[in-house]
Amino acid sequence: MVRDIGLTSDDRTTAPTSDGTAQAGARVESLVDSLRRPLRDLRISVTDRCNFRCTYCMPKEVFGRGYQFLDREKLLTFEETARLARIFVQQGVQKIRLTGGEPTLRRGLPKLIGMLAAIDGLKDLTMTTNGSRLVDLAGELREAGLKRITVSLDSLDDTVFRSMNDVDFPVDQVLLGIEAAREAGLWPIKINTVVKRGANEHTVVDLARHFRGTGYIVRFIEYMDVGNSNGWRMDDVVTAAEVLAMIDREFPLEPVAPDYPGEVAQRWRYKDGAGEIGVIASVTQPFCGGCTRARLSADGRMYTCLFGKMGYDLRKLLRSGKSDEEIEEFLRSRWSARKDRYSELRSARTAPASKVEMSYVGG
Ligand code: SAM
């Protein structure tokens, strides 16, 4: 067992409470990994299923009718998920993002949100969704304790959008979902747009124009080589620099300082004061050095990198009666041994044999 858990005296912090104040008597020694990166964020995939078949994520040829999704009994229960989340928060996690698959497909999701929102010390709880079910669910999610949300939306052009989600889902329905989220009080709302060459780069400026001056923050994401099924090629990546140049030509931009160290998106604002956008240059300017994220798959495996292969089976620990302390020890040993920095080592020729699928581990 790894015993050196990478602690230093200056990494010792006091556990914050949900209102941000220090909690007396609950000193938590925060972890760092072998590259001195703390554990701050947890992404929880609540299902590996999705109602979209985005060509860059869950292409139909792979995720078709015969595809074997996780059986129900393999999924973590809400109680198991919340227990793990609490242990992660005690180890320094401040922010939890629910994702998938499509998280809104998980039955009873508001109940889980309520359980997570009640965790002492958690500062931020959010969710990434394709927006398809927000018209029905936004109010319930907000009432359960969700504060803000990120909606994926690759184009406003209905034809382009339908062909990218590959299930003929209309863009209007997602726009209504975004509106419903806003009306329910989920705010701020971020819009995630993956830009893929030949698919939607010609609609980038329209999207920026639509959301300028509205308070929504669009973040343009470089198409990544996650998983093994999307047939990724470097040629298909529209770089963040290209996206910025396209938008800047029409609406001049200037950089904004990051909100916090290790922020994934680079922030830019319109010089005329119409708000801001972000770019996530995970391929051309990897940010492994600032990566403070762990991921939990719907069946309870912990991954310390989006490009991981195996993960660590926490469900086994939960279901074999391990105590919180034993799970905590396991988590600390794995995080302190962490040395992943896949994106920094990637080259155009990289084609590792088996990476975990994004729909499984959560985007
Ligand atoms: N179903 C939800 C959604 O659509 O937002 C959550 C899961 S999805 C995997 C999370 C995010 O990952 C989405 O914004 C999606 O666009 C992004 N994504 C998926 N595959 C990607 C890829 N190959 N490169 C970059 N981003 C990707």
Side-chain angles (χ1 to χ4, degrees):
M1 185 191 297
V2 186
R3 273 270 154 202
D4 172 9
I5 54 173
L7 272 178
T8 64
S9 53
D10 26 302
D11 293 319
R12 285 159 215 264
T13 57
T14 302
T17 59
S18 48
D19 63 359
T21 57
Q23 196 183 4
R27 290 185 73 78
V28 169
E29 296 164 329
S30 73
L31 273 175
V32 289
D33 70 7
S34 70
L35 301 173
R36 308 209 53 74
R37 297 168 296 188
L39 171 60
R40 288 283 177 266
D41 312 83
L42 177 64
R43 297 201 175 182
I44 303 178
S45 169
V46 293
T47 175
D48 60 336
R49 292 166 197 262
C50 189
N51 52 343
F52 284 13
R53 285 293 174 272
C54 298
T55 50
Y56 54 78
C57 187
M58 295 182 76
K60 271 182 182 163
E61 310 82 68
V62 179
F63 296 90
R65 281 193 186 283
Y67 187 80
Q68 186 64 48
F69 289 99
L70 291 170
D71 291 334
R72 200 173 165 69
E73 72 274 9
K74 291 207 170 123
L75 299 183
L76 292 187
T77 64
F78 290 166
E79 287 70 23
E80 288 170 333
T81 306
R83 181 177 168 206
L84 283 181
R86 192 168 31 76
I87 295 173
F88 272 94
V89 170
Q90 283 161 357
Q91 301 315 309
V93 162
Q94 299 178 344
K95 169 175 162 185
I96 291 181
R97 176 178 296 280
L98 295 178
T99 177
E102 172 47 40
T104 59
L105 295 187
R106 180 76 189 253
R107 201 173 308 150
L109 184 68
K111 180 174 174 209
L112 176 64
I113 287 176
M115 292 164 82
L116 297 176
I119 295 177
D120 215 10
L122 182 65
K123 289 184 176 167
D124 190 10
L125 176 61
T126 182
M127 180 173 87
T128 303
T129 170
N130 61 25
S132 60
R133 305 199 61 214
L134 282 178
V135 168
D136 294 331
L137 277 179
E140 252 187 281
L141 296 172
R142 178 71 184 93
E143 273 164 36
L146 194 68
K147 298 269 184 316
R148 61 188 190 92
I149 203 166
T150 297
V151 182
S152 304
L153 174 63
D154 294 331
S155 182
L156 290 174
D157 180 307
D158 195 48
T159 309
V160 171
F161 185 70
R162 285 177 195 253
S163 90
M164 283 180 87
N165 65 52
D166 213 13
V167 292
D168 214 23
F169 198 89
V171 73
D172 281 352
Q173 191 60 24
V174 176
L175 291 172
L176 287 174
I178 293 173
E179 233 174 86
R182 183 172 200 154
E183 274 164 23
L186 290 165
W187 194 258
I189 296 178
K190 291 182 182 160
I191 311 289
N192 270 2
T193 304
V194 175
V195 190
K196 187 174 174 198
R197 188 154 335 267
N200 63 338
E201 86 253 47
H202 60 294
T203 65
V204 157
V205 176
D206 276 349
L207 205 102
R209 181 183 298 109
H210 179 85
F211 287 108
R212 256 170 59 83
T214 61
Y216 295 101
I217 300 171
V218 185
R219 288 135 32 113
F220 297 95
I221 306 175
E222 288 180 350
Y223 167 50
M224 288 187 286
D225 54 334
V226 284
N228 314 291
S229 53
N230 65 6
W232 184 87
R233 298 176 316 143
M234 186 66 207
D235 289 350
D236 293 333
V237 178
V238 179
T239 67
E242 285 177 79
V243 168
L244 287 170
M246 282 191 266
I247 299 173
D248 181 68
R249 261 198 298 277
E250 215 153 310
F251 308 112
L253 292 164
E254 60 191 8
V256 184
D259 246 352
Y260 51 89
E263 192 173 20
V264 170
Q266 297 165 23
R267 300 168 58 199
W268 293 76
R269 74 175 148 236
Y270 295 111
K271 284 187 177 164
D272 64 4
E276 71 174 74
I277 60 164
V279 287
I280 303 182
S282 19
V283 176
T284 59
Q285 298 165 62
F287 35 80
C288 305
C291 179
T292 56
R293 265 176 304 287
R295 295 181 143 84
L296 186 62
S297 66
D299 60 347
R301 297 185 81 85
M302 171 175 86
Y303 289 82
T304 54
C305 178
L306 176 55
F307 299 92
K309 286 184 193 146
M310 293 299 294
Y312 305 110
D313 191 353
L314 301 186
R315 189 189 60 193
K316 196 161 101 194
L317 301 185
L318 289 167
R319 295 189 184 172
S320 61
K322 297 281 188 242
S323 67
D324 284 7
E325 290 70 30
E326 285 168 312
I327 295 173
E328 202 176 293
E329 176 68 29
F330 181 84
L331 197 161
R332 292 179 79 85
S333 70
R334 292 308 179 274
W335 186 266
S336 58
R338 175 187 191 239
K339 49 181 190 289
D340 313 83
R341 52 189 197 97
Y342 173 83
S343 291
E344 287 179 354
L345 304 174
R346 167 204 290 124
S347 74
R349 266 188 282 272
T350 325
S354 58
K355 287 176 273 139
V356 65
E357 293 297 334
M358 196 158 177
S359 53
Y360 164 73
V361 75

